[in-house]
Amino acid sequence: MADGRTLLFVNTASNPAAGNSLTGRLYTVPVEPGGGPGALTQVWESRPLDAPDGLAIAASGNVYVALAGANQVLLLSPAFAEVARAPRDPAANEAEEVPLDGPGSLAFLGDRLLVSNHSPVRGDPASWAVLDVFAGEPGLPLHHPRIFPPRLRVEVRPIRSTRRTMRLRVRVSRYLATREEPVAGATVRVRGTRRVTDAGGRATLRVRLRGRWPVTVRASRDGFAGAAVTVRRGDRRVAG
């Protein structure tokens, strides 16, 4: 969507547990700063057998939805209220040069919509076409998200400390969608001491203190953005 961090997607037919299994729904879900999904919110429900399919968002915030079951293109306001349907009824649709027949994907081309005609039920080759539908407004610019290397996360737990040395237990992981997984083969460095993490993303290091605090633990691996965490006197566990 226009904010660059909210996904709008369609469910063509609903799970009976969600309500009427003959209706489709639009949902929004925000993308959290860490890349995971936020709360799922239903913003619109179709009429029975509308079978909403592809959608496109205008620069104004209006949403255009192809209704594969109703053979229409639906216009929703930025608040997801129904504004109009085109063609208005089956008779008007049949009067078109190529009637809408199972419309699927939508894409803006200037102030017009390109609509793919699938004809999934009738299988009519005369309906297999890309249709040009006037919208009268431009679409949002295509969104090209910036792709960053996956970021490491390092967690450190001091397990023994004297005036001169300290043992650290380190775990290196990464976030993958909504879960965290260990990273094997990562290099962990602390004041000249270096270890490589095992299959569980773990490594144990012995660090010479010599009275110098704090201690910085760094983790790196090819293909990942590195991570660092600072351990101060008295810390039991730190992560970053």
Side-chain angles (χ1 to χ4, degrees):
M1 298 184 71
D3 62 6
R5 54 171 299 172
T6 303
L7 297 176
L8 176 65
F9 66 94
V10 63
N11 193 10
T12 301
S14 304
N15 186 311
N20 189 342
S21 62
L22 299 179
T23 64
R25 291 172 166 84
L26 288 182
Y27 296 90
T28 59
V29 60
V31 179
E32 301 291 352
L40 182 69
T41 302
Q42 179 184 318
V43 294
W44 174 78
E45 183 176 0
S46 77
R47 299 174 188 174
L49 302 178
D50 269 348
D53 198 325
L55 58 87
I57 305 174
S60 66
N62 287 333
V63 179
Y64 294 79
V65 185
L67 302 179
N71 294 324
Q72 294 174 312
V73 174
L74 169 69
L75 171 60
L76 297 175
S77 73
F80 304 104
E82 184 168 326
V83 176
R85 293 178 177 225
R88 62 183 181 275
D89 55 39
N93 188 34
E94 289 301 320
E96 297 288 344
E97 179 184 357
V98 179
L100 284 172
D101 183 3
S105 299
L106 300 179
F108 271 97
L109 181 64
D111 60 359
R112 313 185 73 84
L113 283 167
L114 300 181
V115 184
S116 62
N117 224 15
H118 292 175
S119 190
V121 176
R122 296 195 303 171
D124 183 358
S127 295
W128 296 338
V130 176
L131 307 179
D132 183 339
V133 179
F134 180 66
E137 60 177 336
L140 281 178
L142 291 178
H143 179 63
H144 299 285
R146 292 180 295 168
I147 305 300
F148 295 98
R151 181 170 296 279
L152 296 178
R153 180 177 185 271
V154 58
E155 182 178 355
V156 179
R157 183 164 66 92
I159 55 177
R160 184 178 301 171
S161 180
T162 67
R163 291 183 60 186
R164 294 188 176 184
T165 62
M166 177 173 57
R167 290 184 68 199
L168 302 174
R169 186 161 293 159
V170 180
R171 182 176 182 271
V172 179
S173 58
R174 69 163 180 168
Y175 284 108
L176 183 64
T178 58
R179 70 180 188 272
E180 188 179 357
E181 64 175 23
V183 175
T187 301
V188 180
R189 295 180 175 85
V190 185
R191 289 188 181 173
T193 300
R194 184 174 67 176
R195 295 288 185 275
V196 175
T197 57
D198 61 17
R202 298 178 295 266
T204 301
L205 299 92
R206 183 176 178 180
V207 183
R208 293 183 180 182
L209 293 174
R210 297 178 181 175
R212 293 183 295 156
W213 290 91
V215 175
T216 299
V217 180
R218 292 180 171 84
S220 62
R221 185 183 164 188
D222 290 344
F224 291 80
V229 67
T230 299
V231 182
R232 293 176 170 81
R233 189 190 300 270
D235 284 344
R236 295 186 177 182
R237 188 186 297 269
V238 289

